[in-house]
Amino acid sequence: MLRRPRRNRKSAVIRSMVEETWLSVDHLVFPIFVIGGENKRTEIPSMPGIYRYSIDLLLEELAACVELGIHSFAPFPVIDEKLKNPTGTESYNPEGLFPTMIRKVKEQFPEVMLATDVALDPYSSDGHDGIVKNGEILNDETLEVLGKMALTQAQAGADIIAPSDMMDGRVGHIRNVLDANGHTDVSIMSYTAKYASSLYGPFRDALDSAPKSGDKKTYQMNPANRSEALIEADLDVEEGADMLMVKPALMYLDVIRLLKDTYALPIAAYHVSGEYAMVKAAAQKGWINEQQCMVEGLTSIRRAGADIILTYFAKQYAALVKK
Ligand code: PBG
């Protein structure tokens, strides 16, 4: 035999020498959940190890993460049911929970990167990412709210606006609103190919944001479609997105690779709540090795072509590799 591929696997040194994919904490963004009140920390039952924090405790948690080398965060707000309404007006209240959190975080940790979520669902009494009328999700009317929400977040100090709503034209609209108000330096990380997935359940538990009726299939993508991701990506590029995201990650590795090979922009992948929950649940039963599965999953997402990974494992991974 002239070719024996095993020769390149024969020792740990040789294996690392020929390793093709690198995973580092620098690539990870940690999604975090913020709630109102003080001195509050509640675990999310379907996401073991992940908590909702009131702002004071969130700041302590961020300090611990920064200590571990995590500098990028994607916060999501848990909004009081009483403040939710059909048009999500609380989303652009500058004194609301989310903008207040952004200001406090940037005050205490100016160097930390915040990629803030833009979508109606945390604020909507209907639990949808857009305004609902007679069972339909209104696109253009929703854009108006998304623009106001993005501007409020930019004014509070957000570094990156991350629209997760999947309305048509939202990247262009948000870009225009930001630029018209002098926020030309605020970036947009678009949820470009966001699929109507079964894997968002634990996240909706965390935010208590499940749709009150219907599903999200008229705006989120059909899991069966790949070419359609190119249509979404072309639009996001034209409309001024700085980074393109695929979501979820592990069941959509082909889409990550497709976008990575087609576009020069950085590609992000959202390793979502259900993906995290599956690993945790199987590990709790003793059916898989949690640590190995975590590293294998994150490595696979990078191998598929993701430059950036949003993952609930960020802190656990950072603690694992911290020397
Ligand atoms: C909604 C939103 C969702 C997630 C992020 N933003 C859920 C949904 O579309 O219903 C899911 C993230 C996760 O599951 O970790 N705008």
Side-chain angles (χ1 to χ4, degrees):
M1 262 186 275
L2 192 59
R3 294 246 153 248
R4 285 184 183 269
R6 286 185 57 192
R7 279 196 289 262
N8 284 347
R9 298 175 207 139
K10 72 183 170 194
S11 72
V13 171
I14 290 180
R15 283 194 297 275
S16 0
M17 193 169 73
V18 300
E19 191 161 281
E20 298 175 45
T21 305
W22 296 280
L23 189 55
S24 124
V25 178
D26 290 343
H27 302 130
L28 306 184
V29 179
F30 194 18
I32 44 171
F33 299 106
V34 56
I35 47 173
E38 258 176 65
N39 199 25
K40 278 205 211 149
R41 173 184 184 267
T42 58
E43 191 169 24
I44 299 145
S46 50
M47 302 178 76
I50 299 294
Y51 301 82
R52 311 172 185 92
Y53 297 96
S54 55
I55 295 177
D56 52 336
L57 297 192
L58 184 83
L59 293 170
E60 289 177 16
E61 172 65 5
L62 290 193
C65 291
V66 168
E67 189 63 29
L68 287 169
I70 303 170
H71 302 287
S72 300
F73 300 89
F76 294 90
V78 183
I79 302 295
D80 193 328
E81 207 58 41
K82 293 192 293 288
L83 297 172
K84 298 186 184 182
N85 62 28
T87 53
T89 51
E90 179 63 12
S91 66
Y92 50 89
N93 169 11
E95 302 311 319
L97 172 67
F98 204 55
T100 305
M101 177 276 303
I102 298 172
R103 281 193 297 272
K104 292 205 170 146
V105 170
K106 294 303 286 190
E107 214 173 272
Q108 195 159 328
F109 306 98
E111 74 295 344
V112 145
M113 190 289 287
L114 291 184
T116 54
D117 181 61
V118 164
L120 249 64
D121 53 315
Y123 314 92
S124 152
S125 43
D126 296 302
H128 274 286
D129 293 30
I131 299 171
V132 186
K133 198 169 176 192
N134 303 326
E136 281 193 26
I137 313 299
L138 305 181
N139 193 87
D140 300 12
E141 292 78 351
T142 298
L143 295 186
E144 293 301 313
V145 183
L146 299 176
K148 290 184 195 171
M149 192 185 316
L151 179 59
T152 308
Q153 296 175 0
Q155 285 167 339
D159 302 276
I160 298 182
I161 299 297
S164 67
D165 56 285
M166 290 301 278
M167 296 301 119
D168 292 335
R170 89 271 209 216
V171 169
H173 180 73
I174 290 171
R175 187 70 271 160
N176 285 339
V177 171
L178 292 176
D179 289 357
N181 288 278
H183 295 289
T184 52
D185 283 347
V186 174
S187 322
I188 299 179
M189 177 195 282
S190 177
Y191 284 63
T192 298
K194 175 172 178 179
Y195 287 88
S197 173
S198 58
L199 297 165
Y200 307 148
F203 174 95
R204 293 175 190 170
D205 292 344
L207 260 58
D208 194 15
S209 65
K212 299 277 159 47
S213 66
D215 52 40
K216 298 193 176 186
K217 290 181 185 167
T218 68
Y219 46 107
Q220 298 179 351
M221 282 178 55
N222 180 346
N225 294 357
R226 208 170 81 102
S227 305
E228 200 181 345
L230 295 172
I231 299 176
E232 289 288 355
D234 278 345
L235 287 168
D236 285 352
V237 171
E238 270 168 40
E239 292 175 31
D242 300 285
M243 301 168 193
L244 307 177
M245 190 200 293
V246 175
K247 176 185 176 186
L250 283 177
M251 290 191 194
Y252 298 84
L253 295 180
D254 58 321
V255 182
I256 296 174
R257 172 50 59 189
L258 178 66
L259 295 202
K260 181 63 183 169
D261 287 344
T262 314
Y263 300 92
L265 290 176
I267 306 297
Y270 200 142
H271 189 24
V272 300
S273 58
E275 300 178 276
Y276 175 85
M278 288 195 291
V279 175
K280 288 283 171 181
Q284 277 180 359
K285 284 190 170 285
W287 291 351
I288 54 158
N289 179 311
E290 176 173 341
Q291 193 169 299
Q292 285 172 9
C293 192
M294 164 181 77
V295 174
E296 186 176 339
L298 294 173
T299 304
S300 298
I301 297 166
R302 286 273 299 156
R303 192 194 63 237
D307 301 289
I308 304 156
I309 307 175
L310 288 85
T311 177
Y312 300 97
F313 281 120
K315 191 179 177 191
Q316 193 176 336
Y317 180 75
L320 175 71
V321 297
K322 177 108 179 165
K323 304 271 152 40

